[in-house]
């Protein structure tokens, strides 16, 4: 399973990248706005910087919702760097646009996916990635991991090439459960990635080893 970081914060992207286990980045308009990025030039510069930090796919989301606007914006985003993946919302014009990008060799990430039916449509249109938002599903008292399992099962049964990118990760257990479910990619906040490191027995064991090591010096 590949690890993407789900943020537009450059310090966090650098920290995750320095771990050596980062495969890519996803952003969305909320994450970009949180970093105070305003205006087309600033957006372009920010994506370029992210692409310079991480050598892997970087999802950049379109703001438009009509086919024409999505295509226009997607072309501009894709021209920023070879690693840009155009992130397109799961709407009717979005599906049409994903098919257009597929036919024109531009990678896509179909976002805001909450059902297996939507994931089938995204795959039919040739999306490179499909992003089911499992945390938001859990927030509404449904089981997000079940959806990941269902989509993975359908894609395997049908031979779809679209990669399942588990998104809206809330904690380290989500990452473990996505790995069990067979997700191709998990896009996570830095806190969830670092959360994977934690175990009290590791801390206690290390304390003891360090204390014993001192007696040997
Ligand atoms: C997906 O790529 C989105 O950026 C993201 O995972 C949404 O997560 P949230 O539900 O924490 O906003």
């Amino acid at each position: 399973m590949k690890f993407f970081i789900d943020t537009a914060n450059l310090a966090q992207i650098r920290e995750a990248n320095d771990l050596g286990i980062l495969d890519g980045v996803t952003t969305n308009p909320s994450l970009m706005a949180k970093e105070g990025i305003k205006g087309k030039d600033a957006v372009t510069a920010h994506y370029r910087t992210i692409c310079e930090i991480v050598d892997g796919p970087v999802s950049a989301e379109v703001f438009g919702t009509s086919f024409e606007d999505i295509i226009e914006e997607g072309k501009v985003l894709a021209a920023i760097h070879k690693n840009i993946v155009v992130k397109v919302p799961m709407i009717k014009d979005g599906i049409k646009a994903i098919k257009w990008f597929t036919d024109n060799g531009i990678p896509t990430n179909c976002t805001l996916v909450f059902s297996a039916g939507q994931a089938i449509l995204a795959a039919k249109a040739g999306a490179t990635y499909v992003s089911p938002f499992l945390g938001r599903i859990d927030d509404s008292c449904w089981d997000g991991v079940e959806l990941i399992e269902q989509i993975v099962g359908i894609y395997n049964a049908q031979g779809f090439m679209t990669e399942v990118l588990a998104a809206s990760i809330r904690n380290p257990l989500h990452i473990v459960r996505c790995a069990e479910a067979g997700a191709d990619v998990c896009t996570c906040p830095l806190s969830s990635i670092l959360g994977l490191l934690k175990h009290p027995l590791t801390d206690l064991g290390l304390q003891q080893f360090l204390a014993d090591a001192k007696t040997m010096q």
Side-chain angles (χ1 to χ4, degrees), residues 164-181:
V164 180
L165 193 168
S168 185
I169 296 292
R170 299 270 189 264
N171 54 57
L173 185 57
H174 270 160
I175 302 177
V176 173
R177 296 210 55 215
C178 285
E180 283 176 335

Side-chain angles (χ1 to χ4, degrees), residues 32-51:
M32 292 288 278
K34 201 170 151 193
E35 299 308 312
I37 299 149
K38 265 196 176 159
K40 279 185 183 164
D41 290 349
V43 168
T44 301
H46 202 76
Y47 284 135
R48 195 166 287 132
T49 306
I50 294 175
C51 290

Side-chain angles (χ1 to χ4, degrees), residues 116-128 130 150-164 184:
Q118 292 178 326
I120 290 171
L121 268 184
K124 287 293 291 177
T128 316
V130 66
Q150 192 184 15
I151 297 171
V152 168
I154 291 169
Y155 281 12
N156 286 342
Q158 297 296 329
F160 287 135
M161 299 306 288
T162 301
E163 292 191 39
V164 180
D184 299 287

Side-chain angles (χ1 to χ4, degrees), residues 6-7 26-31 59 61 87 109 111-112 131-136 139 165-170 187-189:
D6 193 32
T7 185
T26 53
T27 62
N28 64 40
S30 307
L31 294 171
S59 285
E61 190 159 341
K87 203 170 177 189
N109 175 355
T111 190
L112 289 168
S131 289
F133 277 33
L134 82 96
R136 292 193 194 185
D139 292 345
L165 193 168
S168 185
I169 296 292
R170 299 270 189 264
T187 189
C188 328

Side-chain angles (χ1 to χ4, degrees), residues 22-201:
L22 194 66
D23 300 296
V25 180
T26 53
T27 62
N28 64 40
S30 307
L31 294 171
M32 292 288 278
K34 201 170 151 193
E35 299 308 312
I37 299 149
K38 265 196 176 159
K40 279 185 183 164
D41 290 349
V43 168
T44 301
H46 202 76
Y47 284 135
R48 195 166 287 132
T49 306
I50 294 175
C51 290
E52 280 160 9
I53 299 171
V54 181
D55 184 19
V58 173
S59 285
E61 190 159 341
V62 296
F63 299 164
T65 51
S66 71
F67 174 76
E68 293 74 17
D69 287 351
I70 295 171
I71 298 298
E72 189 77 8
E73 272 186 71
K75 284 197 279 191
V76 172
L77 289 170
I80 296 173
H81 192 278
K82 64 175 173 48
N83 286 345
I84 290 285
V85 173
V86 180
K87 203 170 177 189
V88 180
M90 164 46 71
I91 52 176
K92 200 170 169 188
D93 278 24
I95 288 298
K96 272 173 69 180
I98 287 171
K99 178 70 173 87
W100 188 93
F101 289 128
T102 305
D103 292 344
N104 287 275
I106 294 174
T108 52
N109 175 355
C110 184
T111 190
L112 289 168
V113 167
F114 293 90
S115 77
Q118 292 178 326
I120 290 171
L121 268 184
K124 287 293 291 177
T128 316
Y129 302 98
V130 66
S131 289
F133 277 33
L134 82 96
R136 292 193 194 185
I137 293 174
D138 281 5
D139 292 345
S140 7
C141 215
W142 294 57
D143 189 342
V145 175
E146 265 181 22
L147 177 62
I148 304 292
E149 288 168 350
Q150 192 184 15
I151 297 171
V152 168
I154 291 169
Y155 281 12
N156 286 342
Q158 297 296 329
F160 287 135
M161 299 306 288
T162 301
E163 292 191 39
V164 180
L165 193 168
S168 185
I169 296 292
R170 299 270 189 264
N171 54 57
L173 185 57
H174 270 160
I175 302 177
V176 173
R177 296 210 55 215
C178 285
E180 283 176 335
D184 299 287
V185 190
C186 214
T187 189
C188 328
L190 181 63
S191 57
S192 299
I193 297 175
L194 296 180
L196 291 171
L197 287 165
K198 288 184 197 154
H199 198 289
L201 290 179

